Amino acid sequence: MVRPPRSPQTLAIDHEIVRLAGCRHPRVLFVPTASGDDAAYCRSFRDLYATRLGCRVSELLLYRDRPSRKAMRAALLGSDIIYVGGGNTLRMMKIWRRLGIDRWLDQARRQGTVLAGLSAGALCWFRQGNSDSRKFSDAGNRTLIRVSGLNYIDALVSPHYDVERHRQPALKAMMRTTPGIAVALENCTAIEIVDDQYRILRSNDRRNAWRVYWYRGEYHRDKLDSGPRYRPLRELLDKSA
C-alpha cells in the first residue's frame, strides 16, 4: 500500500511516474478497485500525489455509487496518469472485464496515458501475475495463483519478492509451466517501460529486481541492472538473450 507522506518508501519511483506525464500538475486518476475502494487508501494516495507531488487527483470508485459508463470512460480517457492500487487482483480483473474498464484502459494506453500501479496495480499490465488473491477470501491461504492481466507486456510479474518469502519457491514452480519469463520485483523496485525499452527503478539501493525463467531444463534467476539507461525490452523477454 502507499505509505504516508512523512516517509513514503516509494517516493523516488512516484516522482518518476509524475515526470513521465510531461506536465507540471498532471491529472492523476487513482483506481482502487483491488482494495474494494478502501477510503483510507484513497486518502493516503491523495496525501502523496496531491499534497506532496502537486497532482490533480481524482478516484474511479466502482463499488460505492458507481458512475455511469459515460463517466467512467471520460475519467479514464481524460487523465494524464492512471494509477492502480493494490489488493485482490483476481477480483479486480473480473470487475474490469465485466464493466469494460479493460477496453478503456487500452484506449488510454494508445493515446499515451501513463499507466502505473503497485502490487495488483503492477500485475494488471502484464500477460499474467503471480497473485495472492486467494487470501482475501481465506486469510490463511498462502497459495499463489496465476491471474491473467491486460497483456500489454508478454511476461509474468511477481511483486513483494523479498518480503513474502513463499513467493520465491512458488514462482520457481509456477514458471516451470509458464511460457516466457517472469519479472520478480522486490519492494521499492519498479520496472518502467517506454515504447520498446525498459529500465529498473529503485527507491532503496538494497532492493533488486530479477528475471526468472526456465531454459533447457535449468532454472535461472538473473539480477536486473538498475540505473538511468534504458535497455531493449526484447532482450528482457528473450530467454536466450
Side-chain angles (χ1 to χ4, degrees), residues 63-75:
Y63 285 86
R64 306 184 302 273
D65 300 321
R66 181 180 296 164
S68 66
R69 290 178 61 83
K70 182 178 180 180
M72 288 189 288
R73 181 181 184 276

Side-chain angles (χ1 to χ4, degrees), residues 74-92:
L76 290 162
L77 299 184
S79 300
D80 301 304
I81 299 169
I82 297 172
Y83 190 109
V84 178
N88 188 332
T89 311
L90 181 62
R91 180 178 61 183
M92 176 180 75

